Amino acid sequence: MKLKQLLSELDYQFIQGSIDQKISQIDYDSRTVKEDSLFVCIVGAQVDGHCFIDDVIQKGAKVIVVEKEVEYKEGITYIQVTDSRYALALLSCAFFNHPSRQMTVIGLTGTKGKTTTSYMVQSILEKAHKKVGIIGTIGSIINGEFRETKNTTPESFELQKLMSEMVECGCEYCVMEVSSQGLMLNRVAGIDFDYGVFTNLSPDHIGPNEHTSFEHYMACKKKLFHMCKVGIFNRDDRHYMDMVDGVTCQIQTYSICNKSDLQASQIELSQGQGTLGVTFQTQGLLNGTFETDIPGQFSVYNSLVAMMICKLLNIQTAYIQTALKQVRVKGRVEIVPYSDDFTVLIDYAHNAFSFESILETISQYHPQRIICVYGAGGKRAKSRRYEVGQVVAKMKAMSILTADNPRGESVLDICQDIVEGIKKYNGEYVIIEDRKEAIQYALDLAKKNDVILCLGKGHEDYMIYNDNQVVHFSEREVIEEYKNK
């Protein structure tokens, strides 16, 4: 593609060279540069791309995009921008021929619920015989094919490449989790969002390398609603008024407690043989009875989002009802069939807030006992270990402490830190360092009406040991193999 085509929607200052030249690829990593590359100098948390200009020129880069003053070499084209990350996003959109303009794009942001809701939307649309692409925490799916992705919202070039592949495969819809980091770092700049969704907001990702404050975290989330045509908001969230204030999109709302465009009522928890779910009625945009086999009230909120989006897309109610009943989300309150007497669930909960949320949800089903299999990540804040132990003991659940990505730390030492939190509420616990053995112990221990919660790994199918050694480990496989013994 000619450089002048890539620059057509970008504000820039032309320093020297020619904009009438062919670009073979766009790079922001100096290691991938080839002949006729355009190199964008990104200022990262640890590495500054401006330091690699001489290196990429030697490799064949003919165009350099900078946001700082640099030494200009003869024969090289230099483009000056105010924000190179933003420029990378717009250049990538143009390089892949603006794929977001060729699909209906749905972006979901919020602290919790993004992954589950996106898979609910995908399930309904595919039930209605639509082709759907999905991008998020678990990875991306294009026309049924799974791809691993590094971040919830990939860097803009990778993101545009994925969306371009969706278009090539005939996808009519792209459902995307939009993280606060993705918004802050302009990874989604240039995307035409048809729908934006706000699920909920609570303090998260606040720290020196993420968001400086909760206010900054919220402001980044809010950027999505200046980029989409229709915004769908959780009317029950305490930050609802802050989130809708000043947005430029059309506003639609969903709720359980407040009058909204789509409202749920008559919520009833349901239990089957080894399953937990919820049924509810809706009024407003959609009227009817709906059911999902994902437990808890938060599943109603997630369902309302999916229902609302699909109704606005003119999907028939029968498809919505059938898909919600059948949908399963990997590692998100995921029921793994094992016994008709007790329930086994896998969930990605890995901090005190998410532990408390899932334990409160499961407690509403009045199980005989909750057995939690969990650990804590190595090389992470010790305070998190005490906190999760406290939550589990406070909720009177049993703890089976085990490995969870120890990263070179002693599993026993990590478990002993968790025990300090458990002791505060005199909780019951046992330490079994090998996670496979810990899960098998829980399965042997469980009796009628118990619930086993395997927490922390979720969709992950690996364990991280010394020096970032990654070893295959799947909780699903452990459970299924033990069942079939």
Side-chain angles (χ1 to χ4, degrees):
M1 184 175 286
K2 290 290 182 71
L3 175 58
K4 63 182 178 182
Q5 293 175 271
L6 297 179
L7 296 170
S8 61
E9 296 186 22
L10 179 66
D11 288 331
Y12 64 94
Q13 181 183 354
F14 177 63
I15 303 297
Q16 71 172 43
S18 168
I19 61 171
D20 192 30
Q21 58 183 290
K22 184 180 177 182
I23 300 299
S24 63
Q25 65 182 42
I26 296 174
D27 295 286
Y28 59 94
D29 184 334
S30 62
R31 294 167 295 185
T32 61
V33 170
K34 295 179 181 178
E35 191 70 26
D36 294 328
S37 281
L38 179 154
F39 183 72
V40 183
C41 299
I42 299 291
V43 181
Q46 298 176 333
V47 178
D48 185 346
H50 295 79
C51 298
F52 298 92
I53 291 176
D54 288 346
D55 182 36
V56 301
I57 289 174
Q58 287 182 4
K59 290 182 176 181
K62 296 294 192 295
V63 180
I64 310 294
V65 177
V66 299
E67 64 176 48
K68 297 179 178 180
E69 290 292 329
V70 298
E71 180 185 350
Y72 303 120
K73 299 285 181 71
E74 191 175 340
I76 302 298
T77 299
Y78 291 90
I79 304 296
Q80 177 93 39
V81 296
T82 54
D83 185 333
S84 56
R85 284 191 180 275
Y86 183 80
L88 175 62
L90 265 60
L91 290 166
S92 299
C93 288
F95 188 79
F96 290 106
N97 196 27
H98 300 281
S100 69
R101 298 176 185 175
Q102 301 173 64
M103 297 182 289
T104 297
V105 181
I106 300 150
L108 300 103
T109 198
T111 305
K112 296 193 302 178
K114 298 187 297 295
T115 301
T116 300
T117 304
S118 62
Y119 277 81
M120 284 179 163
V121 174
Q122 178 205 28
S123 180
I124 295 169
L125 291 175
E126 289 185 343
K127 183 63 68 175
H129 312 293
K130 308 293 185 181
K131 280 194 174 184
V132 186
I134 192 164
I135 301 170
T137 306
I138 295 174
S140 66
I141 299 174
I142 302 175
N143 204 23
E145 182 181 335
F146 177 78
R147 318 276 183 86
E148 284 192 13
T149 49
K150 187 176 179 181
N151 301 303
T152 294
T153 307
E155 189 53 79
S156 56
F157 185 81
E158 283 72 30
L159 183 56
Q160 292 299 321
K161 184 178 180 182
L162 286 168
M163 295 178 75
S164 176
E165 290 174 13
M166 290 178 187
V167 172
E168 288 175 12
C169 289
C171 290
E172 304 163 76
Y173 303 91
C174 172
V175 185
M176 181 193 311
E177 294 182 51
V178 185
S179 67
S180 57
Q181 289 283 299
L183 287 158
M184 180 177 75
L185 298 176
N186 285 320
R187 291 175 186 159
V188 296
I191 294 178
D192 284 16
F193 286 98
D194 295 278
Y195 298 92
V197 175
F198 166 65
T199 59
N200 49 64
L201 205 60
S202 57
D204 200 8
H205 300 293
I206 297 168
N209 293 324
E210 296 186 279
H211 299 286
T212 54
S213 65
F214 177 74
E215 289 70 27
H216 182 253
Y217 176 59
M218 180 165 60
C220 288
K221 293 283 191 190
K222 195 169 176 177
K223 287 175 69 174
L224 177 61
F225 303 99
H226 292 272
M227 301 172 65
C228 66
K229 300 178 181 70
V230 178
I232 297 171
F233 294 85
N234 179 354
R235 185 70 181 81
D236 293 343
D237 190 84
R238 59 188 295 229
H239 299 290
Y240 163 75
M241 292 303 295
D242 293 322
M243 288 298 296
V244 298
D245 183 41
V247 301
T248 57
C249 60
Q250 177 190 335
I251 295 172
Q252 295 273 327
T253 58
Y254 65 96
S255 166
I256 292 175
C257 305
N258 293 285
K259 186 173 177 58
S260 299
D261 296 303
L262 181 63
Q263 188 170 353
S265 62
Q266 299 181 49
I267 298 167
E268 295 182 7
L269 304 180
S270 57
Q271 290 181 264
Q273 293 184 321
T275 64
L276 305 172
V278 61
T279 62
F280 56 97
Q281 303 281 330
T282 62
Q283 302 81 40
L285 188 65
L286 195 58
N287 298 299
T289 302
F290 299 86
E291 180 181 4
T292 182
D293 281 343
I294 302 176
Q297 182 168 283
F298 61 81
S299 294
V300 178
Y301 282 108
N302 295 339
S303 297
L304 287 172
V305 173
M307 294 162 63
M308 194 164 203
I309 289 169
C310 293
K311 183 63 177 177
L312 291 170
L313 293 173
N314 297 314
I315 303 299
Q316 293 179 19
T317 301
Y319 289 132
I320 297 173
Q321 288 173 316
T322 303
L324 283 179
K325 173 64 178 170
Q326 295 174 347
V327 69
R328 301 288 183 275
V329 183
K330 194 175 183 180
R332 298 303 192 274
V333 205
E334 177 190 358
I335 293 175
V336 182
Y338 187 85
S339 169
D340 290 342
D341 291 334
F342 57 87
T343 304
V344 183
L345 289 142
I346 294 174
D347 192 78
Y348 191 50
H350 52 277
N351 58 36
F353 180 77
S354 51
F355 267 52
E356 186 169 26
S357 176
I358 190 168
L359 282 164
E360 285 178 348
T361 294
I362 298 305
S363 295
Q364 293 171 4
Y365 290 85
H366 305 293
Q368 189 67 32
R369 179 175 51 167
I370 301 176
I371 302 167
C372 295
V373 180
Y374 67 102
K379 307 291 178 69
R380 298 292 186 266
K382 283 194 174 185
S383 59
R384 293 186 177 186
R385 304 172 188 179
Y386 312 140
E387 289 166 359
V388 292
Q390 284 181 24
V391 167
V392 176
K394 184 180 179 181
M395 299 292 289
K396 303 193 184 314
M398 179 186 177
S399 293
I400 301 177
L401 303 179
T402 189
D404 184 351
N405 298 335
R407 297 185 181 87
E409 277 198 70
S410 160
V411 175
L412 182 59
D413 288 348
I414 294 172
C415 292
Q416 292 290 6
D417 288 337
I418 299 173
V419 168
E420 293 303 308
I422 292 173
K423 284 180 177 177
K424 183 174 181 180
Y425 292 97
N426 298 314
E428 181 184 0
Y429 72 92
V430 62
I431 298 175
I432 302 174
E433 295 182 48
D434 184 281
R435 196 169 182 111
K436 178 178 180 179
E437 293 177 11
I439 292 170
Q440 292 173 344
Y441 178 84
L443 294 169
D444 289 338
L445 186 67
K447 294 182 171 58
K448 192 171 181 62
N449 296 326
D450 285 347
V451 174
I452 296 173
L453 294 177
C454 299
L455 302 175
K457 298 299 292 176
H459 60 278
E460 294 178 355
D461 60 359
Y462 56 83
M463 191 75 74
I464 305 174
Y465 292 101
N466 298 311
D467 302 318
N468 283 326
Q469 178 193 9
V470 179
V471 176
H472 178 76
F473 179 84
S474 166
E475 292 188 316
R476 265 163 238 82
E477 289 175 11
V478 170
I479 294 165
E480 288 165 3
E481 286 171 7
Y482 205 56
K483 177 183 179 181
N484 294 326
K485 268 193 171 182

